[in-house]
Amino acid sequence: MDFNLSEEHLLIGEAAQNFAENYLLPGVIDRDEVQKFDKELLRQMGELGFMGMMVAPDYGGGGMDTLSYVIAMEEISKIDASAGVIMSVNNSLVCWGLENFGTSEQKEKYLTKLASGQVIGAFCLSEPEAGSDATSQHTTAIDKGDHYLLNGTKNWITNGDTAEICLVMAQTHPEKQHKGINVFIVEKGLAGFVVGKKENKMGIRASDTNTLMFTDVRVPKENRIGDDGFGFKFAMSTLNGGRIGIAAQALGIAAGAFELSLKYSKERRTFGKPISEHQAIQFKLSEMATKVEAARLLVYKAARLKDEGKDYIQASAMAKLYASETAMWVTTEAVQVHGGYGYVKEYHVERLMRDAKITQIYEGTSEIQKLVIARELLK
Ligand code: CAA
């Protein structure tokens, strides 16, 4: 597969790298410490077009391809993986889902604001008892004629506090199992919609992750996306693309940790020479670089298949599986290369190691990716 990066792809990568190095890097350690993302940075990301990269310009987006999106995701996540996940959920779950399955009225009303970064969105599938087993939705949406009555709890919701627009999956016809699930656009501020506990996380600490609670929330009928019972298909189709975004985030984390290790290995001296001249370190660097490159090829391949309108279910699961396992492995090695310095915050690699872990869990654990790949291989 020839990726044939265009001048535009290269410029997007450069713009994302400049933004990350000049604006995200300075406060990244503090934001991790205080567990808060900067509203001004979010505004700048919107202004630079990073929040709705693939959305058509008619709806306020950048009209770019998936390859451009993953190139930008890698650069942003190299420096700040929290910014990466905020961006990924907004782009590939919320905006993509709305653009591909929403009505023109829904797009006009919500997508335009989301794609330009005026507001951000959240994707609300997981529940206390429905993580990997996503068909087991306990949140209910009862049809009341002109509206649905929404009741239930959603867990581990990225952007849960900051998001103003939430895409919420809920069960309307339990007897139909996953075919009875619907998806709704639910605005913050509706009576009965409460933002609950903020999680105190291991990694991606600057992004907010909350429990969301719904008690008799009246959701207008026109806010349902797709036909009655389309919700689970919506979630699965959207996650196929979301997994490319998270794979790109994982790639960025791995590439960031590798680059820091390469640089450090030339500066740090032991036994009379830079540690880069010790074979023990050279072998680590070689393996890190090889895995990062392999992850990048899988991420680009999934993005290209999506851009070409081909089936990308297996490719996105492979990219997510491999890139997230690589991120965990490379960041652990990066801490080892840095020795004692790697264990303290100033050198960034300990944060990248903590950030890497979640990429093996959200948008489908590594085990779920293997299940998806096996089903594709065997069907
Ligand atoms: N793409 C399209 N359709 C899919 C699909 C996919 N990848 N996977 C399943 N489906 C469809 C099936 O074809 C089936 O449709 P039909 O009934 O029409 O045939 C339907 O979905 C149900 O599928 P299964 O019978 O295979 O259901 P299952 O329960 O055996 O397995 C699962 C489903 C694949 C395990 C699914 O539950 C899953 O992907 N779980 C992981 C959930 C997940 O990724 N959660 C992430 C939360 S969001 C998040 O993390 C965002 C964030 O904030 C960062």
Side-chain angles (χ1 to χ4, degrees), residues 89 93 123 125-126 131-132 134-135 158 178-179 232-233 236 239-240 243 313 362-364 368 375:
V89 166
L93 294 182
F123 183 84
L125 175 67
S126 301
S132 289
T135 60
T158 303
H178 68 271
K179 289 186 164 56
F232 195 71
K233 270 277 181 230
M236 291 297 108
L239 278 166
N240 289 330
R243 288 166 184 165
I313 297 179
Y362 58 22
E363 299 206 20
I368 289 291
R375 285 182 182 181

